[in-house]
Amino acid sequence: MDSVVKRVTDRIERLRLNYVNTRPSICCERAKIYTDSHKRTEGKAVILRRAQAFHDFCAEFEVRIFSDELIVGTAGKFRRTGILTPEYSWKWVDREMDTFPSRPQDPYQITEEQCRFVRSEIFPYWRGKSLEEHFLASLPEATARIAVDTGIIDNDSKWRQAVGEITPDYEGHLFRLGYRGILQKAEEKLAALDYLNAEAIDRIHYYQATVLTAKGIILLANRYADLAEEMAAAEPDAARAAELLEIAQVCRRVPEHPPQSFHEAIQFVWFVQLGGIVTENPLALNPGRFDQYMYPYYAADIANGTLSREQAKELIHALWLKFSEWVWTISENTTGYFAGYNQFQNLTVGGRKRDGSDATNELTYLCLEATDEVRTHQPGLSVRIHSDCPHEFLYAVTDLVSKGTGFPAIHNDQAGTQMLLQAGYEPEDARDWNNCGCVVPHFRKTGQWTSAVNVNFAAAMEYALNGGKSRLTGEKLGLPAKPVKDYASYREVEDAVFAQVGNLVHHSVISTVVAQQLHAEMVPRPFLSTCIENCVETGVDLSRGGAKYNVGPVLTGIGLAVVANSLAVIKKLVFEDKAATLAELDAAMNADWEGYESLRAKALAVVKYGNDDDYVDAIARDLANTYYRTTRSYKDNFGSPFNSAFMGISNYIPTGRIVGATPCGRKARKPITEGVSPYAGSDVTSPLAAMRSSAKMNHDVHTGGTLLNLRLGEDLVATPKGKRDLGNVIRAYFSLGAFHVQFNTLSTETLRKAQQHPEDYKDLLVRVAGYSTQFVNLSPEMQEAIIARSAHGTF
Amino acid sequence: MQDYSIHDGDGVRTTIFLAGCGLRCRWCANPESWTQQRKLAFHAHKCAACHRCAQACREGLDPAAKDFDPARCTFCGDCVAACPEQALQLACLESGVEAVAAKLRRDEIFFRHSGGGVTFSGGEPFVQPAFLGQVIDACERLGVSVWVETCGFFAWDACKDLMPKIDHVFFDIKHMDAETHRRFTGQGNAAILENACRIHDLKIPMTVRIPLIVEVNLDEDNLRATAAFMRARLEGSTIELLPYHELGKAKYLSFRMAEDFHSFSTPSAEQMEWAYGIFAEYRIARHR
C-alpha cells in the first residue's frame, strides 16, 4: 500500500482516502427537485416533463466544490452520494430505506429525518405513477410468478431502475458539437417542423426536450464556474485560488463548447456522466474508448507544453475518483446481482482503430498506470488485445494483473468485432467497439439493453428433474414435467432440461418487451439521447429506437457449468455405468445429499466442466448453442433479435439460493456458476484446461458477451518471464476464439487476512465477476465465494 | 503431468514427471518418485474419519489407519473413489505414450504462443529410456520442444541415442566432493560428472542446477569447485541456483515416509546473491 501512496500526488491521496473511508450517503435533493418540477408540469408530454425536471435540477441544485477537487460536479450534496429516482420506483426504497445503513451488501447512510421527508414529501406524489407499479400491473400473471424477485428470471434492474447501458459518443458527436451545437441543431430542426401529424409532434417534443436539456447542462456548468470564482476570491491559498480560477474557466467552456484542452475534455466527460446520473441513476454509463477520443487533446497539450505527463495523470486519477465516488442506488435484491457499489462504467483501452490498424497510444498506458496507482473500483477497465498489438502493451496488461486488483478485463479484439458483425454492425463500427458494463461488446451509436434478464439455468434443470416444481418450496414454476424416474434415456433428460430453459427464455422475453414498451411511454431519456448522434439527427428518443443501432436485449444464462456438470453425472452414473438410478439421485437431492455421501462422492468424481474433457464440455456447448438459437428466435419491440450471453456480475449467488441440491454434487442454496467459468473449485486440472473448456463454447455467437474468471497463484506472475508467459497464454486462449478472461491473483492467505482485518485491507480490490470491487465491501457470503474459486498455483 | 509450468524452461511448459531415481537425496521434495510402483497418499487433515475407505477395501485394509501396511495394498483405487473428502490419492500411475501425446496435443496451442514445450523431470527421466524415447518421438511429431531435467545419475549407453533430440538439459550438480555427495545422496558423483561432460560434448545447451542447501553445499570451496568444473568442462553452460524449501514435507507425511524426512535450512536472498556472485567471477551466466 505504501507504493500507492508514493505514486500519486498528495492531493490525489487525500481524495483517495476520503473515497476509501467514506460510506456513501443518500441525497434527497434530486428527488425533491424532480418531484416538485413534475407537479408543475402535469399534462405535458412526458419527455418534456423529464427534460424540464432536469433543467430545474441544473438551475436549483446547490452546487458544491469540495476541497482538493480538480474535476467538479456531484449529483448530490455529498462527495460519495447516491440519489433517489422515484419515477422509476419508490416502493422498494420505501420498503428498504430504514435498513439502508445496516444491510449487509452495499449499505448507504440515510437519516431518519430524510426517511420521514421522502415518505411525506416525495413518495405520495409518485404513488401509482412509477415505472415499477405500471410494470407490475402490466406483466401477465404467468410471467410475474417467475420474474418478480424470484431469482428464476430476474430483470428488476429494468423496472426498478433506469436502463443506463449507453456509451456517449464523444469522438463523433459530443466533442464535435458541444452542447451549444446540439442546442442549435435542435432549434434548427424545430424551425423546420410543424404539428401536422403524430410523428412530427413526437419529434417536436423531442427537440424541445433537447433544447431544455442542453440549456440545463450548460447552466449547471456555469453555476460551477460562478462558484469556483467566488471560492477563488475567498481562498487564502494562492495556489488553490489559481486552481479554482482554472476550474471556473474550464466550466465556462465545457460542455457548452467543444473542449480545447485535455483538462476541458476530462471535465466534459464528467459533466456528461453527471447528467446521466442525475437523470437516470444509471447502470453501465460507459466512458468507452477513452484513450482514443482523449488522445488528440493529450497529444496537443503535450506538444504545446501546456501539460506534462504527470499532470495528465493527476487529472485521470481525479476522474477515476469521480467515477468511483457516486453510487448507483439499488435495492437489496439488485445488490445480490450487482454487488460492490458498482456502477459498471466501463472504460476500454487498446485494440484497433476503425481502419483496423493498432490503436495503442500513450494514453492507453496512462490508463493502466492510473488504475494501478489510484486503486479505485471504477472505471471498469477493459483492454482489447489483438493479434498485432504491441508486446509492451500486453506486458503492461499482465503486469497490472500481477498487482492483484482484478483489473483489467482482458478481451479478444477480433472476437468483439465478430460479435458486432454478427449483430449487424457495419465493419468500421464493428472494429470500433467498447465494452458496456462488464463484458458486453458495445458501441457509441447503440441503444441496447445489454443486461436485460438473468436466466437461471439451474432452476430450469430443477423443474425438469422435479416434475416442474421447485425442490425447495414445492411450488410449480416450470413447464409440466414427468416424474424423474420415468425418463428412459439421457437424451430425454437433456431435452426436458433444454425445454425448461426455453420456457424461461419465453417469459424473459415477455418481461423484457413489457418493460421496453413502458420505458418508451413513461421514462424517455432526453439527456442520454443528446449523447447519441442519431437521436439528435432524427429527433427520436433512445427509448423509442433513436440510435443508429438498436440491438436486441441480452438474456444472460447463469449456471451453464452447474447444468452441464449435472447432466454429465446423470449420463454417466445413471445411463452408462448404472451406478445409480434417477430415483436414487432424486432422493439424494431431496435430502440435500444427507445420508447419500457415497453417491455424492461418485457424483463429484464424474469429470466436471473446466478440465478440458469433452465428455462434459460438449454438453455445455450443446446447452449454450441451444440457448443461443432459442434466444435469437425472439424479437424485441424494435424488431431486433434477442441476444444470448454468459456474463457474470454477481448473479451466480442469488440465483443459487433458490435452487436445491443438483446432481453435480452441489448442495442446496449454494452459488451456481457465472459466465462460461467452471464451478468454483471444480477446475482442478489447470487454468489452461479451464481456458480450453471455455473456448469450446462458440463465443462469437453470444453477442451479449461471455466471461471467464480465473484465479492465478501469485507466483505465476511474480517475474517478468511469468508476465510474458501469461500474455502468451492469453494470446493462445484468444486464438481459440474466446472473448474474455480476467484474473484474480490474490492468494487465499491474503484474502483470509483481509477478512480478519478488514480495516487494513480497505483498498484490496478483487474481481467479482465482470468487474472488480473492494473485497471488504462484499458480504461475508460473497467473500467466501471469492475464496472458494480455485486458486491455481504451480507448485 | 503438470501444465502451465513456467519455472522449468522457456515459455509455458508441461512438465512430465517420470518415476524412479537412483539417488536418495536427503532434501528430496518428491519422495514418492524414488521408485516406480504405485503408491497411496493419505492426506490426514482432510480425513473425516467416516471409514468409507476401509469399507471399500477388498483386502480388508484401513487406508486411514496409522498401521496401514502398503505392502498388502494392491493400489486398486477403490478407497480413493469411496472417499468423499478427497483425502486419498494414487501416485505413480502408469501412463501410455498415446495418453501423454493426447495431453500434449491439447497443450500445444499454449506452447506455440509462448515458445514453450515439454520438460521431463522426475524422479529421474533417464531411468526409463525406452518410454522416454517414445514420448520424445511423439514430441518430435507434434513439433514440441523437449527439455530434460536430470540428476545425472543414469546409464549413459541406454540413453545416448536420445540426447540429440533434446533441446536443453537442466543438469543437477549437488556437490563436487564425492564423499559428501555420497553421504547426502547415497551415491558418489563420478558417473554424474562424467555424464555432464558427455552431454556437453554433444553440444546440447545445458543449465547446471544446484539445489542450494545451507548445511550441504553452500560453502565457498564447493561453489568455486563447481564453477571451476563448469568453466573447464561445461563451457557455455549457465547456472541456476534453487533455494532449498520444506514444501516437500507434506508429501513425506502423506506417503507415510516421515522417517525419511530431513530438515535443512533455506538460504537467505543475500546468500543466494553471494553464491551467484561466485559463478559470475568464473564468467558463468545465470539461466534466465
Side-chain angles (χ1 to χ4, degrees), chain A residues 654-669:
Chain A
T655 45
R657 271 185 220 130
I658 61 132
V659 179
T662 39
C664 56
R666 171 189 154 278
K667 294 224 175 186
R669 299 186 179 84

Side-chain angles (χ1 to χ4, degrees), chain A residues 175-203:
Chain A
F175 280 179
R176 204 162 47 80
L177 295 182
Y179 273 89
R180 176 63 54 192
I182 290 169
L183 176 61
Q184 283 164 355
K185 179 158 279 193
E187 282 172 340
E188 283 163 20
K189 296 276 188 183
L190 275 174
L193 282 163
D194 203 353
Y195 292 78
L196 293 171
N197 55 54
E199 193 204 330
I201 293 170
D202 280 347
R203 293 179 67 209

Side-chain angles (χ1 to χ4, degrees), chain A residues 597-598 612 686-688 692 716 721-722 725-726 728-729 731-732 735 794-795, chain B residues 2-4 6-7 9-12 52 81-84 106 109-110 113-114:
Chain A
E597 285 74 14
S598 298
D612 191 19
S686 81
L688 305 190
R692 285 191 52 93
L716 280 172
K721 176 179 187 297
D725 287 339
L726 178 62
N728 289 322
V729 163
R731 282 195 189 278
S735 78
T794 43
F795 304 111
Chain B
Q2 163 130 49
D3 62 27
Y4 209 165
I6 61 167
H7 301 292
D10 288 350
V12 171
R52 286 196 175 79
C83 177
R106 291 200 294 271
I109 188 93
F110 299 103
H113 282 268
S114 69

